[in-house]
Amino acid sequence: VLVMTGILLITGTLTIALFEWRHAFAGMPVLDKWVQAFFNATCPRTAGFSSVSLSSLSTQSILLMVVLMIIGGGTQSTAGGVKVNVFAVVMLNLRSILRGSKTLSIHQRELSHDSIRRSNATLILYLFIAFTAVFILSILEPQASLTALVFECTSALSTVGSSLNLTPTLKTESKVIVVLLMYIGRIGVLTFVSSMVRQQKAANYRYPNDNIIIN
């Protein structure tokens, strides 16, 4: 969590500073620009505060904020998103697969197969729910831009609270979807979906192991 948080803070600050230095931060003193970049790289993962109008940011910064909102904060914190450690496990698992490693280790500890499965499932469920919400809202709100819809849905599902000023203009049924996203995000996507699915009883047998052709 600490290592991944540090990486996200540094990367987010540098990226936002790069794209907003002469854009949204134009005319500010150099120190203020760095403070603004750090603040706006931190808040999408923790809270919906903003020091500048989000609608004044470049498309690249908005997309970066969407990614940061998806990642969120640490597990067992009040932050939303899929959580930092879940994202870290997914990325490390990807690296392990690309390197041909059979196990996944972090700081001289081998992660259990169940931890890897749950991390992958959490990210997939989050993306599936977010995509479904954006798809439905794109039908209900044809006049809204796709970028704004993605931002609003991600912000709601990650319980961030940031907005591109689209939510107040939505129809009632669209606002209900946004409210539902906030509810799911507060509970946790994996916990919410698990509660809706009938749990399978533990079996006393196992099927033969096999592999499928990939790529």
mmCIF file of all heavy atoms in Angstrom, residues 111-153:
data_model
loop_
_atom_site.group_PDB
_atom_site.id
_atom_site.type_symbol
_atom_site.label_atom_id
_atom_site.label_comp_id
_atom_site.label_asym_id
_atom_site.label_seq_id
_atom_site.Cartn_x
_atom_site.Cartn_y
_atom_site.Cartn_z
ATOM 1 N N LEU A 111 2.036 -14.557 -2.322
ATOM 2 C CA LEU A 111 0.601 -14.325 -2.185
ATOM 3 C C LEU A 111 -0.181 -15.594 -2.471
ATOM 4 O O LEU A 111 0.177 -16.374 -3.354
ATOM 5 C CB LEU A 111 0.148 -13.222 -3.134
ATOM 6 C CG LEU A 111 0.527 -11.788 -2.777
ATOM 7 C CD1 LEU A 111 -0.094 -10.825 -3.765
ATOM 8 C CD2 LEU A 111 0.080 -11.435 -1.369
ATOM 9 N N SER A 112 -1.272 -15.773 -1.737
ATOM 10 C CA SER A 112 -2.110 -16.947 -1.940
ATOM 11 C C SER A 112 -2.886 -16.823 -3.244
ATOM 12 O O SER A 112 -3.143 -15.724 -3.738
ATOM 13 C CB SER A 112 -3.089 -17.103 -0.771
ATOM 14 O OG SER A 112 -4.013 -16.028 -0.747
ATOM 15 N N HIS A 113 -3.255 -17.975 -3.780
ATOM 16 C CA HIS A 113 -4.032 -17.997 -5.025
ATOM 17 C C HIS A 113 -5.379 -17.318 -4.831
ATOM 18 O O HIS A 113 -5.883 -16.647 -5.739
ATOM 19 C CB HIS A 113 -4.226 -19.448 -5.463
ATOM 20 C CG HIS A 113 -4.930 -19.596 -6.776
ATOM 21 N ND1 HIS A 113 -4.448 -19.074 -7.948
ATOM 22 C CD2 HIS A 113 -6.115 -20.202 -7.095
ATOM 23 C CE1 HIS A 113 -5.267 -19.357 -8.945
ATOM 24 N NE2 HIS A 113 -6.295 -20.033 -8.445
ATOM 25 N N ASP A 114 -5.957 -17.444 -3.635
ATOM 26 C CA ASP A 114 -7.254 -16.833 -3.368
ATOM 27 C C ASP A 114 -7.158 -15.307 -3.397
ATOM 28 O O ASP A 114 -8.070 -14.637 -3.889
ATOM 29 C CB ASP A 114 -7.764 -17.299 -2.002
ATOM 30 C CG ASP A 114 -9.164 -16.777 -1.706
ATOM 31 O OD1 ASP A 114 -10.098 -17.126 -2.453
ATOM 32 O OD2 ASP A 114 -9.321 -16.009 -0.732
ATOM 33 N N SER A 115 -6.066 -14.749 -2.884
ATOM 34 C CA SER A 115 -5.889 -13.293 -2.904
ATOM 35 C C SER A 115 -5.801 -12.774 -4.331
ATOM 36 O O SER A 115 -6.369 -11.726 -4.667
ATOM 37 C CB SER A 115 -4.624 -12.906 -2.133
ATOM 38 O OG SER A 115 -4.739 -13.237 -0.764
ATOM 39 N N ILE A 116 -5.106 -13.511 -5.191
ATOM 40 C CA ILE A 116 -4.974 -13.105 -6.592
ATOM 41 C C ILE A 116 -6.320 -13.189 -7.300
ATOM 42 O O ILE A 116 -6.701 -12.294 -8.054
ATOM 43 C CB ILE A 116 -3.930 -13.984 -7.302
ATOM 44 C CG1 ILE A 116 -2.562 -13.836 -6.611
ATOM 45 C CG2 ILE A 116 -3.823 -13.628 -8.777
ATOM 46 C CD1 ILE A 116 -1.514 -14.797 -7.136
ATOM 47 N N ARG A 117 -7.054 -14.285 -7.067
ATOM 48 C CA ARG A 117 -8.365 -14.459 -7.696
ATOM 49 C C ARG A 117 -9.328 -13.364 -7.277
ATOM 50 O O ARG A 117 -10.048 -12.797 -8.109
ATOM 51 C CB ARG A 117 -8.947 -15.832 -7.325
ATOM 52 C CG ARG A 117 -8.233 -17.009 -7.963
ATOM 53 C CD ARG A 117 -8.768 -18.340 -7.461
ATOM 54 N NE ARG A 117 -10.173 -18.509 -7.777
ATOM 55 C CZ ARG A 117 -11.146 -18.587 -6.871
ATOM 56 N NH1 ARG A 117 -10.852 -18.496 -5.587
ATOM 57 N NH2 ARG A 117 -12.390 -18.756 -7.236
ATOM 58 N N ARG A 118 -9.366 -13.041 -5.987
ATOM 59 C CA ARG A 118 -10.289 -12.024 -5.495
ATOM 60 C C ARG A 118 -9.910 -10.635 -6.009
ATOM 61 O O ARG A 118 -10.791 -9.815 -6.294
ATOM 62 C CB ARG A 118 -10.304 -12.040 -3.965
ATOM 63 C CG ARG A 118 -10.944 -13.296 -3.377
ATOM 64 C CD ARG A 118 -10.860 -13.292 -1.866
ATOM 65 N NE ARG A 118 -11.666 -12.222 -1.286
ATOM 66 C CZ ARG A 118 -12.962 -12.328 -1.014
ATOM 67 N NH1 ARG A 118 -13.611 -13.449 -1.276
ATOM 68 N NH2 ARG A 118 -13.611 -11.326 -0.473
ATOM 69 N N SER A 119 -8.629 -10.369 -6.131
ATOM 70 C CA SER A 119 -8.189 -9.072 -6.658
ATOM 71 C C SER A 119 -8.610 -8.911 -8.114
ATOM 72 O O SER A 119 -9.145 -7.867 -8.514
ATOM 73 C CB SER A 119 -6.669 -8.943 -6.530
ATOM 74 O OG SER A 119 -6.268 -8.945 -5.171
ATOM 75 N N ASN A 120 -8.370 -9.943 -8.914
ATOM 76 C CA ASN A 120 -8.780 -9.894 -10.321
ATOM 77 C C ASN A 120 -10.293 -9.774 -10.456
ATOM 78 O O ASN A 120 -10.796 -9.014 -11.296
ATOM 79 C CB ASN A 120 -8.289 -11.143 -11.059
ATOM 80 C CG ASN A 120 -6.784 -11.169 -11.230
ATOM 81 O OD1 ASN A 120 -6.144 -10.123 -11.315
ATOM 82 N ND2 ASN A 120 -6.201 -12.356 -11.272
ATOM 83 N N ALA A 121 -11.020 -10.507 -9.620
ATOM 84 C CA ALA A 121 -12.484 -10.470 -9.679
ATOM 85 C C ALA A 121 -13.012 -9.090 -9.293
ATOM 86 O O ALA A 121 -13.965 -8.586 -9.902
ATOM 87 C CB ALA A 121 -13.071 -11.532 -8.748
ATOM 88 N N THR A 122 -12.388 -8.453 -8.304
ATOM 89 C CA THR A 122 -12.822 -7.124 -7.870
ATOM 90 C C THR A 122 -12.671 -6.102 -8.986
ATOM 91 O O THR A 122 -13.589 -5.309 -9.261
ATOM 92 C CB THR A 122 -12.011 -6.671 -6.643
ATOM 93 O OG1 THR A 122 -12.217 -7.592 -5.565
ATOM 94 C CG2 THR A 122 -12.427 -5.276 -6.200
ATOM 95 N N LEU A 123 -11.529 -6.113 -9.659
ATOM 96 C CA LEU A 123 -11.295 -5.156 -10.742
ATOM 97 C C LEU A 123 -12.235 -5.413 -11.920
ATOM 98 O O LEU A 123 -12.806 -4.473 -12.490
ATOM 99 C CB LEU A 123 -9.848 -5.234 -11.210
ATOM 100 C CG LEU A 123 -9.444 -4.250 -12.331
ATOM 101 C CD1 LEU A 123 -9.688 -2.811 -11.889
ATOM 102 C CD2 LEU A 123 -7.993 -4.452 -12.729
ATOM 103 N N ILE A 124 -12.442 -6.676 -12.265
ATOM 104 C CA ILE A 124 -13.320 -7.014 -13.387
ATOM 105 C C ILE A 124 -14.760 -6.607 -13.081
ATOM 106 O O ILE A 124 -15.459 -6.028 -13.923
ATOM 107 C CB ILE A 124 -13.238 -8.521 -13.702
ATOM 108 C CG1 ILE A 124 -11.857 -8.861 -14.276
ATOM 109 C CG2 ILE A 124 -14.329 -8.933 -14.696
ATOM 110 C CD1 ILE A 124 -11.627 -10.337 -14.464
ATOM 111 N N LEU A 125 -15.222 -6.885 -11.869
ATOM 112 C CA LEU A 125 -16.588 -6.512 -11.485
ATOM 113 C C LEU A 125 -16.760 -4.999 -11.497
ATOM 114 O O LEU A 125 -17.793 -4.483 -11.951
ATOM 115 C CB LEU A 125 -16.911 -7.064 -10.095
ATOM 116 C CG LEU A 125 -17.255 -8.544 -10.009
ATOM 117 C CD1 LEU A 125 -17.400 -8.968 -8.556
ATOM 118 C CD2 LEU A 125 -18.540 -8.838 -10.776
ATOM 119 N N TYR A 126 -15.772 -4.280 -11.011
ATOM 120 C CA TYR A 126 -15.842 -2.821 -11.004
ATOM 121 C C TYR A 126 -15.983 -2.289 -12.433
ATOM 122 O O TYR A 126 -16.861 -1.474 -12.712
ATOM 123 C CB TYR A 126 -14.593 -2.247 -10.342
ATOM 124 C CG TYR A 126 -14.602 -0.727 -10.240
ATOM 125 C CD1 TYR A 126 -14.904 -0.097 -9.040
ATOM 126 C CD2 TYR A 126 -14.321 0.069 -11.345
ATOM 127 C CE1 TYR A 126 -14.933 1.291 -8.942
ATOM 128 C CE2 TYR A 126 -14.352 1.451 -11.257
ATOM 129 C CZ TYR A 126 -14.654 2.053 -10.064
ATOM 130 O OH TYR A 126 -14.682 3.423 -9.980
ATOM 131 N N LEU A 127 -15.121 -2.746 -13.323
ATOM 132 C CA LEU A 127 -15.153 -2.279 -14.705
ATOM 133 C C LEU A 127 -16.455 -2.663 -15.389
ATOM 134 O O LEU A 127 -17.008 -1.892 -16.187
ATOM 135 C CB LEU A 127 -13.958 -2.840 -15.478
ATOM 136 C CG LEU A 127 -12.578 -2.368 -15.010
ATOM 137 C CD1 LEU A 127 -11.485 -3.064 -15.807
ATOM 138 C CD2 LEU A 127 -12.452 -0.855 -15.123
ATOM 139 N N PHE A 128 -16.974 -3.849 -15.082
ATOM 140 C CA PHE A 128 -18.229 -4.302 -15.697
ATOM 141 C C PHE A 128 -19.400 -3.431 -15.230
ATOM 142 O O PHE A 128 -20.232 -3.008 -16.037
ATOM 143 C CB PHE A 128 -18.497 -5.764 -15.323
ATOM 144 C CG PHE A 128 -19.812 -6.286 -15.843
ATOM 145 C CD1 PHE A 128 -19.946 -6.653 -17.173
ATOM 146 C CD2 PHE A 128 -20.908 -6.412 -15.007
ATOM 147 C CE1 PHE A 128 -21.159 -7.126 -17.668
ATOM 148 C CE2 PHE A 128 -22.127 -6.882 -15.475
ATOM 149 C CZ PHE A 128 -22.247 -7.235 -16.816
ATOM 150 N N ILE A 129 -19.468 -3.137 -13.928
ATOM 151 C CA ILE A 129 -20.549 -2.305 -13.401
ATOM 152 C C ILE A 129 -20.454 -0.886 -13.945
ATOM 153 O O ILE A 129 -21.458 -0.281 -14.335
ATOM 154 C CB ILE A 129 -20.518 -2.304 -11.862
ATOM 155 C CG1 ILE A 129 -20.857 -3.701 -11.322
ATOM 156 C CG2 ILE A 129 -21.495 -1.272 -11.297
ATOM 157 C CD1 ILE A 129 -20.699 -3.841 -9.823
ATOM 158 N N ALA A 130 -19.231 -0.354 -13.986
ATOM 159 C CA ALA A 130 -19.043 1.004 -14.503
ATOM 160 C C ALA A 130 -19.426 1.082 -15.977
ATOM 161 O O ALA A 130 -20.090 2.033 -16.406
ATOM 162 C CB ALA A 130 -17.588 1.438 -14.311
ATOM 163 N N PHE A 131 -19.018 0.085 -16.767
ATOM 164 C CA PHE A 131 -19.352 0.072 -18.193
ATOM 165 C C PHE A 131 -20.864 -0.011 -18.388
ATOM 166 O O PHE A 131 -21.425 0.682 -19.241
ATOM 167 C CB PHE A 131 -18.671 -1.102 -18.889
ATOM 168 C CG PHE A 131 -19.110 -1.289 -20.316
ATOM 169 C CD1 PHE A 131 -18.566 -0.524 -21.337
ATOM 170 C CD2 PHE A 131 -20.082 -2.231 -20.641
ATOM 171 C CE1 PHE A 131 -18.975 -0.681 -22.650
ATOM 172 C CE2 PHE A 131 -20.505 -2.400 -21.950
ATOM 173 C CZ PHE A 131 -19.941 -1.626 -22.958
ATOM 174 N N THR A 132 -21.521 -0.861 -17.605
ATOM 175 C CA THR A 132 -22.973 -1.006 -17.724
ATOM 176 C C THR A 132 -23.683 0.307 -17.423
ATOM 177 O O THR A 132 -24.622 0.710 -18.131
ATOM 178 C CB THR A 132 -23.476 -2.099 -16.767
ATOM 179 O OG1 THR A 132 -22.808 -3.332 -17.054
ATOM 180 C CG2 THR A 132 -24.976 -2.290 -16.900
ATOM 181 N N ALA A 133 -23.231 1.006 -16.382
ATOM 182 C CA ALA A 133 -23.844 2.282 -16.023
ATOM 183 C C ALA A 133 -23.623 3.333 -17.109
ATOM 184 O O ALA A 133 -24.552 4.060 -17.478
ATOM 185 C CB ALA A 133 -23.274 2.773 -14.689
ATOM 186 N N VAL A 134 -22.400 3.402 -17.627
ATOM 187 C CA VAL A 134 -22.112 4.361 -18.698
ATOM 188 C C VAL A 134 -22.943 4.040 -19.936
ATOM 189 O O VAL A 134 -23.469 4.941 -20.598
ATOM 190 C CB VAL A 134 -20.603 4.349 -19.040
ATOM 191 C CG1 VAL A 134 -20.325 5.190 -20.287
ATOM 192 C CG2 VAL A 134 -19.789 4.875 -17.869
ATOM 193 N N PHE A 135 -23.083 2.777 -20.249
ATOM 194 C CA PHE A 135 -23.856 2.355 -21.423
ATOM 195 C C PHE A 135 -25.321 2.776 -21.289
ATOM 196 O O PHE A 135 -25.915 3.308 -22.227
ATOM 197 C CB PHE A 135 -23.742 0.835 -21.587
ATOM 198 C CG PHE A 135 -24.355 0.314 -22.844
ATOM 199 C CD1 PHE A 135 -23.631 0.295 -24.031
ATOM 200 C CD2 PHE A 135 -25.660 -0.158 -22.866
ATOM 201 C CE1 PHE A 135 -24.196 -0.181 -25.205
ATOM 202 C CE2 PHE A 135 -26.236 -0.636 -24.027
ATOM 203 C CZ PHE A 135 -25.494 -0.653 -25.201
ATOM 204 N N ILE A 136 -25.892 2.541 -20.106
ATOM 205 C CA ILE A 136 -27.293 2.898 -19.890
ATOM 206 C C ILE A 136 -27.481 4.413 -19.920
ATOM 207 O O ILE A 136 -28.421 4.937 -20.538
ATOM 208 C CB ILE A 136 -27.791 2.321 -18.550
ATOM 209 C CG1 ILE A 136 -27.783 0.787 -18.602
ATOM 210 C CG2 ILE A 136 -29.205 2.825 -18.233
ATOM 211 C CD1 ILE A 136 -28.141 0.133 -17.281
ATOM 212 N N LEU A 137 -26.574 5.137 -19.268
ATOM 213 C CA LEU A 137 -26.688 6.597 -19.236
ATOM 214 C C LEU A 137 -26.482 7.211 -20.622
ATOM 215 O O LEU A 137 -27.062 8.256 -20.937
ATOM 216 C CB LEU A 137 -25.672 7.188 -18.263
ATOM 217 C CG LEU A 137 -25.960 6.988 -16.770
ATOM 218 C CD1 LEU A 137 -24.908 7.672 -15.921
ATOM 219 C CD2 LEU A 137 -27.348 7.505 -16.416
ATOM 220 N N SER A 138 -25.670 6.564 -21.447
ATOM 221 C CA SER A 138 -25.484 7.084 -22.808
ATOM 222 C C SER A 138 -26.775 6.981 -23.619
ATOM 223 O O SER A 138 -26.986 7.751 -24.561
ATOM 224 C CB SER A 138 -24.364 6.313 -23.510
ATOM 225 O OG SER A 138 -24.727 4.965 -23.746
ATOM 226 N N ILE A 139 -27.643 6.042 -23.241
ATOM 227 C CA ILE A 139 -28.946 5.916 -23.893
ATOM 228 C C ILE A 139 -29.934 6.930 -23.334
ATOM 229 O O ILE A 139 -30.682 7.574 -24.073
ATOM 230 C CB ILE A 139 -29.498 4.488 -23.724
ATOM 231 C CG1 ILE A 139 -28.553 3.467 -24.385
ATOM 232 C CG2 ILE A 139 -30.902 4.369 -24.309
ATOM 233 C CD1 ILE A 139 -28.949 2.026 -24.154
ATOM 234 N N LEU A 140 -29.923 7.089 -22.006
ATOM 235 C CA LEU A 140 -30.857 8.009 -21.356
ATOM 236 C C LEU A 140 -30.463 9.468 -21.554
ATOM 237 O O LEU A 140 -31.328 10.352 -21.558
ATOM 238 C CB LEU A 140 -30.928 7.699 -19.854
ATOM 239 C CG LEU A 140 -31.435 6.311 -19.461
ATOM 240 C CD1 LEU A 140 -31.359 6.138 -17.952
ATOM 241 C CD2 LEU A 140 -32.861 6.109 -19.954
ATOM 242 N N GLU A 141 -29.152 9.712 -21.689
ATOM 243 C CA GLU A 141 -28.653 11.091 -21.826
ATOM 244 C C GLU A 141 -27.833 11.228 -23.114
ATOM 245 O O GLU A 141 -26.601 11.355 -23.076
ATOM 246 C CB GLU A 141 -27.793 11.465 -20.613
ATOM 247 C CG GLU A 141 -28.434 11.214 -19.273
ATOM 248 C CD GLU A 141 -29.568 12.168 -18.981
ATOM 249 O OE1 GLU A 141 -29.610 13.236 -19.610
ATOM 250 O OE2 GLU A 141 -30.406 11.855 -18.114
ATOM 251 N N PRO A 142 -28.474 11.177 -24.276
ATOM 252 C CA PRO A 142 -27.727 11.217 -25.544
ATOM 253 C C PRO A 142 -26.982 12.530 -25.779
ATOM 254 O O PRO A 142 -26.035 12.572 -26.570
ATOM 255 C CB PRO A 142 -28.819 11.014 -26.596
ATOM 256 C CG PRO A 142 -30.083 11.466 -25.939
ATOM 257 C CD PRO A 142 -29.931 11.106 -24.498
ATOM 258 N N GLN A 143 -27.387 13.588 -25.091
ATOM 259 C CA GLN A 143 -26.738 14.879 -25.291
ATOM 260 C C GLN A 143 -25.446 15.018 -24.491
ATOM 261 O O GLN A 143 -24.634 15.918 -24.752
ATOM 262 C CB GLN A 143 -27.689 16.014 -24.900
ATOM 263 C CG GLN A 143 -27.815 16.287 -23.412
ATOM 264 C CD GLN A 143 -28.598 15.232 -22.648
ATOM 265 O OE1 GLN A 143 -29.230 14.372 -23.253
ATOM 266 N NE2 GLN A 143 -28.573 15.306 -21.335
ATOM 267 N N ALA A 144 -25.240 14.142 -23.516
ATOM 268 C CA ALA A 144 -24.060 14.232 -22.642
ATOM 269 C C ALA A 144 -22.837 13.647 -23.338
ATOM 270 O O ALA A 144 -22.935 12.677 -24.100
ATOM 271 C CB ALA A 144 -24.315 13.502 -21.332
ATOM 272 N N SER A 145 -21.687 14.223 -23.055
ATOM 273 C CA SER A 145 -20.446 13.712 -23.645
ATOM 274 C C SER A 145 -20.040 12.420 -22.951
ATOM 275 O O SER A 145 -20.316 12.217 -21.765
ATOM 276 C CB SER A 145 -19.328 14.742 -23.516
ATOM 277 O OG SER A 145 -18.928 14.882 -22.169
ATOM 278 N N LEU A 146 -19.373 11.546 -23.687
ATOM 279 C CA LEU A 146 -18.953 10.258 -23.144
ATOM 280 C C LEU A 146 -17.944 10.446 -22.018
ATOM 281 O O LEU A 146 -17.979 9.727 -21.014
ATOM 282 C CB LEU A 146 -18.355 9.389 -24.253
ATOM 283 C CG LEU A 146 -17.904 7.985 -23.850
ATOM 284 C CD1 LEU A 146 -19.077 7.188 -23.312
ATOM 285 C CD2 LEU A 146 -17.273 7.266 -25.043
ATOM 286 N N THR A 147 -17.047 11.415 -22.177
ATOM 287 C CA THR A 147 -16.052 11.676 -21.139
ATOM 288 C C THR A 147 -16.715 12.047 -19.824
ATOM 289 O O THR A 147 -16.336 11.551 -18.752
ATOM 290 C CB THR A 147 -15.102 12.809 -21.572
ATOM 291 O OG1 THR A 147 -14.460 12.458 -22.790
ATOM 292 C CG2 THR A 147 -14.047 13.071 -20.498
ATOM 293 N N ALA A 148 -17.724 12.915 -19.888
ATOM 294 C CA ALA A 148 -18.428 13.336 -18.678
ATOM 295 C C ALA A 148 -19.188 12.175 -18.043
ATOM 296 O O ALA A 148 -19.212 12.032 -16.813
ATOM 297 C CB ALA A 148 -19.395 14.473 -19.003
ATOM 298 N N LEU A 149 -19.793 11.334 -18.863
ATOM 299 C CA LEU A 149 -20.521 10.178 -18.341
ATOM 300 C C LEU A 149 -19.580 9.211 -17.628
ATOM 301 O O LEU A 149 -19.886 8.712 -16.540
ATOM 302 C CB LEU A 149 -21.242 9.456 -19.483
ATOM 303 C CG LEU A 149 -22.452 10.167 -20.091
ATOM 304 C CD1 LEU A 149 -23.003 9.371 -21.265
ATOM 305 C CD2 LEU A 149 -23.548 10.386 -19.049
ATOM 306 N N VAL A 150 -18.437 8.942 -18.250
ATOM 307 C CA VAL A 150 -17.451 8.044 -17.635
ATOM 308 C C VAL A 150 -16.969 8.630 -16.316
ATOM 309 O O VAL A 150 -16.846 7.921 -15.307
ATOM 310 C CB VAL A 150 -16.266 7.806 -18.589
ATOM 311 C CG1 VAL A 150 -15.141 7.057 -17.880
ATOM 312 C CG2 VAL A 150 -16.716 7.031 -19.818
ATOM 313 N N PHE A 151 -16.700 9.929 -16.296
ATOM 314 C CA PHE A 151 -16.212 10.582 -15.084
ATOM 315 C C PHE A 151 -17.253 10.526 -13.976
ATOM 316 O O PHE A 151 -16.929 10.188 -12.827
ATOM 317 C CB PHE A 151 -15.839 12.032 -15.389
ATOM 318 C CG PHE A 151 -15.103 12.717 -14.271
ATOM 319 C CD1 PHE A 151 -13.720 12.705 -14.235
ATOM 320 C CD2 PHE A 151 -15.790 13.377 -13.262
ATOM 321 C CE1 PHE A 151 -13.033 13.336 -13.202
ATOM 322 C CE2 PHE A 151 -15.115 14.008 -12.230
ATOM 323 C CZ PHE A 151 -13.729 13.985 -12.203
ATOM 324 N N GLU A 152 -18.501 10.850 -14.289
ATOM 325 C CA GLU A 152 -19.554 10.872 -13.277
ATOM 326 C C GLU A 152 -19.803 9.471 -12.710
ATOM 327 O O GLU A 152 -19.963 9.305 -11.495
ATOM 328 C CB GLU A 152 -20.847 11.430 -13.871
ATOM 329 C CG GLU A 152 -20.742 12.837 -14.423
ATOM 330 C CD GLU A 152 -20.482 13.885 -13.362
ATOM 331 O OE1 GLU A 152 -21.197 13.904 -12.349
ATOM 332 O OE2 GLU A 152 -19.555 14.691 -13.550
ATOM 333 N N CYS A 153 -19.848 8.476 -13.580
ATOM 334 C CA CYS A 153 -20.103 7.105 -13.122
ATOM 335 C C CYS A 153 -18.954 6.583 -12.276
ATOM 336 O O CYS A 153 -19.163 5.929 -11.252
ATOM 337 C CB CYS A 153 -20.348 6.189 -14.319
ATOM 338 S SG CYS A 153 -21.913 6.483 -15.167
#
